[in-house]
Amino acid sequence: MGDTILTVKDLTVQFWVGDEWFTAVDKLSYTLKAGEVLAIVGESGSGKTQSSMSLLGLLPPTGRATGSANLKGTELVGMSIQELREIRGNEVSIIFQEPMTALNPVYTVGFQIVETLRTHYLMSPTVAKERAIELMTLVEIPSPADSFDKFPHQLSGGQRQRIMIAQALACEPKLLIADEPTTALDVTVQAEILKLMRDLRERVSAGIILITHDMGVVADMADRIIVMKDGVVVEHGTSQEIFKNPQHPYTQQLLAAVPHLAEHVDGDELSGPPQTIIMVDDVPVPLSEPRSDKPRPS
Ligand SMILES: Nc1ncnc2c1ncn2[C@@H]1O[C@H](COP(=O)(O)OP(=O)(O)O)[C@@H](O)[C@H]1O
Ligand SMILES: [Mg+2]
């Protein structure tokens, strides 16, 4: 595992509701290393999404963040919208739950990956197309050269999510945030995407934050797990610790909600691949040839 890329300290997110500040995330602290997968787990409303959105200036206007989030020496909390926009494009990628809302319905998926590439790198259209097809191959889109010219609605939900992942990997982010990346998919497709994420994890070196309400999703994927409830961290440990010896009743409850995991919680070795896993990720994706393109100076 590499250097620390993200250090979050006492991150607090609040929303102005009615006539007072509601605290959605209360003094969250963690660190993330390159190549590491940190899962943030908790039921709906526990503050998982807003804790990440706040890092990127994506809170709604009624929200505010305090505390500190240091991305490789850059303080994100309090940064201008303009600066954060650049960070979002270059250093950090996000994979959302619902790819249909993140992809533009009027452009082909290939064009959208090419646009992402050309926004970040000085690249000819031909080279960008080659690279886009490489990325589509990496995320196991069938017949990538043909799929390049398809519109989002012509692909299945699982394939759209693969395209989102390809797009997220395009700019080789240092940090990849995956917010419930498989929740909208049916169980079979979910398992396929999780397998892809596990495979990619071996091939890219970004730090990954995997957000999910489902412990089953993190079992094979996370190095460390933060369990959140009502905006507060109730438990934080290595995957091993959390799965083998969960301390907090809420963690035990989350584990019990995943039937095929619950039987292992007593301390048995986890055996066999769980049906779900997770992902998020990014970084220097090993491709067939080193690219000569230089990142566009910003
Ligand atoms: N725009 C908003 N205004 C007020 N409260 C919000 C807003 N967005 C989210 N919240 C609240 O913040 C809390 C955390 O939300 P969120 O991070 O989206 O939860 P999770 O991703 O864990 O489901 C919830 O109680 C939610 O209702
Ligand atoms: Mg959420």
Side-chain angles (χ1 to χ4, degrees):
M1 229 163 271
D3 299 340
T4 297
I5 50 172
L6 180 66
T7 303
V8 171
K9 184 93 177 71
D10 292 337
L11 181 69
T12 298
V13 179
Q14 295 175 305
F15 294 99
W16 186 251
V17 183
D19 56 359
E20 60 180 2
W21 289 104
F22 164 77
T23 301
V25 178
D26 195 8
K27 295 204 174 78
L28 175 65
S29 299
Y30 62 83
T31 58
L32 179 71
K33 294 190 167 79
E36 186 177 38
V37 178
L38 172 72
I40 302 181
V41 187
E43 65 196 358
S44 178
S46 54
K48 308 179 299 292
T49 293
Q50 300 308 331
S51 69
S52 291
M53 295 302 105
S54 62
L55 301 181
L56 300 170
L58 293 175
L59 291 179
T62 55
R64 71 174 182 192
T66 55
S68 165
N70 192 297
L71 180 72
K72 293 207 114 182
T74 304
E75 178 56 54
L76 301 178
V77 175
M79 210 182 215
S80 75
I81 301 286
Q82 176 60 32
E83 288 169 314
L84 281 165
R85 199 169 287 145
E86 263 170 42
I87 297 263
R88 280 205 298 277
N90 294 303
E91 326 258 322
V92 184
S93 284
I94 314 180
I95 299 167
F96 293 104
Q97 176 172 335
E98 190 24 86
M100 208 49 194
T101 57
L103 290 169
N104 190 326
V106 306
Y107 296 113
T108 64
V109 295
F111 178 82
Q112 294 184 60
I113 299 175
V114 163
E115 280 300 285
T116 304
L117 286 165
R118 298 194 70 203
T119 306
H120 296 290
Y121 301 103
L122 295 168
M123 226 182 234
S124 71
T126 314
V127 171
K129 179 169 181 179
E130 280 169 18
R131 168 76 175 155
I133 291 174
E134 282 178 332
L135 286 162
M136 289 168 72
T137 308
L138 180 77
V139 299
E140 297 164 17
I141 294 277
S143 326
D146 296 335
S147 299
F148 184 94
D149 291 318
K150 290 196 171 150
F151 291 90
H153 74 269
Q154 295 175 301
L155 299 178
S156 67
Q159 286 185 22
R160 285 196 292 266
Q161 193 56 297
R162 288 172 192 270
I163 295 292
M164 286 304 304
I165 294 167
Q167 207 167 15
L169 295 174
C171 59
E172 302 185 357
K174 296 187 182 84
L175 172 63
L176 181 63
I177 299 174
D179 191 351
E180 308 268 7
T182 62
T183 302
L185 304 172
D186 74 44
V187 174
T188 318
V189 180
Q190 183 171 1
E192 287 166 15
I193 295 289
L194 290 172
K195 179 175 181 309
L196 168 68
M197 297 193 165
R198 245 180 316 168
D199 293 347
L200 286 177
R201 208 205 139 178
E202 309 292 311
R203 301 186 56 181
V204 303
S205 65
I208 299 175
I209 296 177
L210 172 60
I211 295 174
T212 179
H213 66 281
D214 182 352
M215 274 287 188
V217 161
V218 309
D220 263 6
M221 188 71 184
D223 297 299
R224 281 185 301 121
I225 299 175
I226 287 176
V227 181
M228 286 185 77
K229 184 178 191 317
D230 298 334
V232 177
V233 174
V234 297
E235 193 160 354
H236 186 176
T238 64
S239 221
Q240 188 89 338
E241 288 163 352
I242 303 268
F243 278 97
K244 282 196 152 187
N245 191 16
Q247 297 294 309
H248 197 281
Y250 181 69
T251 311
Q252 292 163 2
Q253 199 182 312
L254 288 174
L255 286 166
V258 189
H260 67 282
L261 289 176
E263 61 203 61
H264 298 293
V265 169
D266 289 334
D268 294 353
E269 210 56 53
L270 285 173
S271 60
Q275 280 152 17
T276 41
I277 295 170
I278 258 305
M279 92 73 85
V280 165
D281 196 273
D282 114 303
V283 163
V285 181
L287 291 170
S288 46
E289 284 185 355
R291 288 204 324 269
S292 57
D293 311 83
K294 298 270 188 302
R296 178 176 292 178
S298 53

